Amino acid sequence: MKKNLFLVFFLICNFQQAISQSTRLLPTKSLSFNIGRGRLGSGDIQGLMLGVEYEKFFQKRLSWSAELGMTIHDGSDLLLVTEANGEVHDLSYRYTTSGAQLVGKIGYHFFRTKSWDAGIRIGGLFRYQSSSVPDDVTMLFPIATGLPVPVFINENTSPQRTYSVGGISQLFASYTIKQKIILGLVTGLQLDTNGDTIFPQLAFTIGRRF
């Protein structure tokens, strides 16, 4: 029994040592491009998210990264008007929210080998945003205005352009081909002082280790 326990202990120690040695030999830097989708919570609209991220390890399982990201979200209040002759007019009100942000993150990699990498990142961000979404929209129908079509009245009480700071948390997993080409997925949550929430986020990552 003691011999078996000693053998198990010996195998575990050697396995941990092998993992530790292989981890130290891994590339410590990477540059990646992220593209995906996210829902902007303040307007509850879907949009596109893009980012370029540089990451560097400063300990075996800890890294820091910097990302320059861009987002664009759009939506509409659907309004279709049909004339007596059957012709349909699209009078929908359309709006867009776009932004650029600089993000700094610390990552903990709870699983890291030559091929696989998975963990969590948390960090802070500075964001510039421009939005055409009104604070209040009122639609008046022809019975009230005497006009042949409905009319939108928009009221804006907040600025079109805003600057904010915020926080971000992400879960990530990636697979590396020949210790160079990174393919992965990232999901996360983003909040800022402008009251905007981007959740859920889901992005595809492609990059290179070096």
Side-chain angles (χ1 to χ4, degrees), residues 77-142:
D77 294 327
L78 183 63
L79 177 60
L80 301 177
V81 176
T82 305
E83 294 187 32
N85 60 7
E87 186 176 358
V88 179
H89 299 275
D90 186 352
L91 304 181
S92 304
Y93 179 75
R94 300 173 180 176
Y95 45 84
T96 301
T97 298
S98 60
Q101 59 191 39
L102 183 62
V103 189
K105 292 174 279 188
I106 295 293
Y108 176 72
H109 302 248
F110 49 76
F111 185 77
R112 183 174 175 235
T113 66
K114 291 182 179 180
S115 299
W116 292 98
D117 188 12
I120 184 171
R121 297 188 185 101
I122 58 174
L125 60 91
F126 176 76
R127 179 176 173 83
Y128 165 79
Q129 181 171 283
S130 177
S131 176
S132 66
V133 181
D135 295 284
D136 185 63
V137 178
T138 301
M139 185 169 62
L140 302 179
F141 291 94

Side-chain angles (χ1 to χ4, degrees), residues 1-205:
M1 182 66 178
K2 291 182 179 180
K3 291 183 178 179
N4 291 335
L5 290 175
F6 177 78
L7 179 60
V8 171
F9 178 76
F10 177 78
L11 292 175
I12 291 175
C13 290
N14 277 274
F15 177 75
Q16 290 178 338
Q17 185 178 5
I19 292 294
S20 178
Q21 289 176 349
S22 63
T23 301
R24 285 196 296 267
L25 296 175
L26 294 176
T28 59
K29 302 175 184 178
S30 67
L31 184 66
S32 59
F33 176 72
N34 306 315
I35 181 170
R37 295 184 63 82
R39 182 180 291 273
L40 184 64
S42 62
D44 201 31
I45 51 179
Q46 288 282 356
L48 180 67
M49 304 183 66
L50 302 171
V52 178
E53 184 170 10
Y54 171 80
E55 183 175 43
K56 183 177 181 179
F57 281 85
F58 60 91
Q59 288 188 16
K60 183 173 65 175
R61 295 190 179 277
L62 294 175
S63 67
W64 65 266
S65 60
E67 179 184 12
L68 178 62
M70 292 164 285
T71 64
I72 182 166
H73 295 77
D74 57 68
S76 64
D77 294 327
L78 183 63
L79 177 60
L80 301 177
V81 176
T82 305
E83 294 187 32
N85 60 7
E87 186 176 358
V88 179
H89 299 275
D90 186 352
L91 304 181
S92 304
Y93 179 75
R94 300 173 180 176
Y95 45 84
T96 301
T97 298
S98 60
Q101 59 191 39
L102 183 62
V103 189
K105 292 174 279 188
I106 295 293
Y108 176 72
H109 302 248
F110 49 76
F111 185 77
R112 183 174 175 235
T113 66
K114 291 182 179 180
S115 299
W116 292 98
D117 188 12
I120 184 171
R121 297 188 185 101
I122 58 174
L125 60 91
F126 176 76
R127 179 176 173 83
Y128 165 79
Q129 181 171 283
S130 177
S131 176
S132 66
V133 181
D135 295 284
D136 185 63
V137 178
T138 301
M139 185 169 62
L140 302 179
F141 291 94
I143 192 172
T145 64
L147 297 174
V149 294
V151 175
F152 283 107
I153 298 178
N154 303 326
E155 182 179 4
N156 299 299
T157 57
S158 59
Q160 179 182 0
R161 302 178 185 90
T162 57
Y163 299 90
S164 61
V165 294
I168 188 170
S169 62
Q170 295 176 326
L171 292 173
F172 63 90
S174 64
Y175 179 78
T176 303
I177 303 172
K178 296 182 179 180
Q179 297 192 50
K180 293 183 179 181
I181 306 302
I182 304 169
L183 301 175
L185 292 174
V186 179
T187 183
L189 164 68
Q190 176 177 318
L191 305 167
D192 65 42
T193 54
N194 193 47
D196 290 310
T197 302
I198 303 182
F199 177 80
Q201 302 176 9
L202 182 62
F204 174 74
T205 298

